Amino acid sequence: MNYSDDVIRYDEQAILCLRSLYSRYGYEPYRMSRFEEYGLYADNKAFLSSGDVITFTGTSGKLMALRPDVTLSIVKQTIDDGTTKKLYYDETIYRPEGGEFKEQMQVGLEFIGDIDVSAMGEVLMLARQSLKELSNQSRLEISHMGFLSGLLQNANLNSQQSSRLLQSVSEKNIPEINALFDEYDIDNECREKLATLVMLYGSFDETIDTLREISINEETESALLELEEVYEVLKGLDAHENVNLDFTIVNDLNYYSGIIFQGFIEGIPKKVLSGGRYDELLRRFGKQAGAVGFAVYLDLLEQQYIQYGKADADMPTVSNDMINIALPKGRLGEDAYAVFESSGYGCPGMSEESRRLVFENPENGVRFFWVKPSDVSIYVERGVADIGVVGKDILLELASDVYELLDLDMGKCRICVAAEKGYIDKQDRTLKVATKFPNISRNYYESLGRDIDIITLNGSIELAPLLGLSDVIVDIVETGTTLRENNLEAMVTITDISARLISNKASYKFKHEAISTMCDKIQRG
Ligand code: PRP
């Protein structure tokens, strides 16, 4: 049976194409139910991208869930009999995204058994090939959890400390990494090596020497050796082009131990493929086999296809040849623009009084957008802007998935808990907190184990305790004038704030040279 393109949708074509690829390499189709007992996810929350799962009560009274993940179900069903299992699937999963649950289509494969270098190489080659089938402008990015954990071996971090550090690694957030090193009292050698690792990005040939230089112990040596051997396998399979090393790809150390990887397609602002070696998950189920696998997120490709008609080299992106920069309207944006201008990225008309929102200068390859300050990270996360300038308060509030490249050392202020002078929190009832920052407030009080009632306001927060709407406020304090003039006082500083230069993660890869040159120039001042 042959069907024309009008009958088979783009996502269906992509599924068929990937299924036949995996089948050609001996992988067997795997089908499963859309439901699972909720306990499977409750016990393995850290393995999931979010702990939020759609649940319902089954007819037998058991708490059930609509599946947020495929790998857990496959691992649970796997019989640990020493044989190799090569499986592929295409399934719908249910995950929260942008504040609501979404259905997502995933096609993926799992290799379960004895994972030697050639098995690892085969899975990476198939990940590379999957991306190639979908677009001829793609990149496979590889990291190794063993190298990261080896570097941190002597630091003796507890699991909360190491997950904070890994979060900063995933953001390329050198200032935050340094602050954590100070807090955890880790030695300088480790700090410098981790900073080098975090900024390392490029092909195997470009990066492997630096990796050799910063390797410090048996664990990093064995990770390095595995990467080198796998790279040779990829070369032998002619699947080594557009494969880069990027150690800002991190996963939970309780599940992932070895090589992990992600795939990107030009014009799509997020990863479209994610995978890795997850032997630790099998250990949790009492199974001895090793495992590696990956999933391709087809809904992202589908959106791109609907928008542009096809996912290939001709697909237009916002602008491939320019760096698109979102600046916050107002004083902070003007100060930030002055930094870009003095670093050689000026744009005619930007400083003039006008209501224009977009300015570009093809000569130095920049296009600026003036954006509402609280929206900057949304533009960057969604890839409409490649980079942007935003206050750390907004980044913390929105938990934006972006790189935090530089602390611009401007827009300095604090997020504080404040109340009327003389207020005493008797801790005898739920605390009423008025704020523009509900997530920051929730996280702060959760860390103290305090019950709060959050009242989200949009401005003039200081009014809330004065009029009895709340007990305290969580708000920005810059000079302290607003608090003083309203007879309020800061009780606790939750965190210091400054403006950050952020980058979309995919843009950082596809426009790497232009963005890193820009950062260097800004840093040199
Ligand atoms: C911010 C913040 C405080 C004030 C603090 O308000 O919410 O109200 O600045 O600055 P200060 O310590 O220098 O007095 P913003 O000006 O953004 O207005 P808003 O009240 O509408 O949020």
Side-chain angles (χ1 to χ4, degrees), residues 29 56 145 167 185 208 217 228 250 306 314 359 391 478 522:
F56 63 96
M145 289 308 285
Q167 174 65 27
D185 202 17
I208 206 78
N217 53 27
E228 286 173 325
V250 296
I306 289 165
D314 305 328
F359 295 83
E478 192 180 350
I522 291 175

Side-chain angles (χ1 to χ4, degrees), residues 288-304:
Q288 294 314 307
V292 55
F294 64 82
V296 183
Y297 309 132
L298 285 172
D299 49 316
L300 292 170
L301 291 163
E302 175 70 359
Q303 286 161 20
Q304 198 74 4

Side-chain angles (χ1 to χ4, degrees), residues 32 67-75 89 91 93 106 110:
M32 67 196 87
R67 199 182 43 221
D69 168 88
V70 174
T71 304
L72 279 172
S73 304
I74 293 181
V75 169
Y89 59 85
E91 295 288 343
I93 56 155
Q106 278 193 357
E110 314 289 353

Side-chain angles (χ1 to χ4, degrees), residues 37-77:
E37 283 185 31
Y38 173 67
L40 179 64
Y41 308 115
D43 293 344
N44 292 287
K45 273 197 174 155
F47 186 75
L48 303 171
S49 57
S50 160
D52 293 327
V53 177
I54 302 176
T55 55
F56 63 96
T57 308
T59 44
S60 63
K62 274 193 186 135
L63 189 59
M64 304 293 289
L66 280 181
R67 199 182 43 221
D69 168 88
V70 174
T71 304
L72 279 172
S73 304
I74 293 181
V75 169
K76 191 182 98 178
Q77 295 297 337

Side-chain angles (χ1 to χ4, degrees), residues 331-347:
R331 170 80 196 283
L332 177 63
E334 285 159 23
D335 290 351
Y337 174 67
V339 170
F340 282 99
E341 193 176 33
S342 65
S343 307
Y345 297 97
C347 203

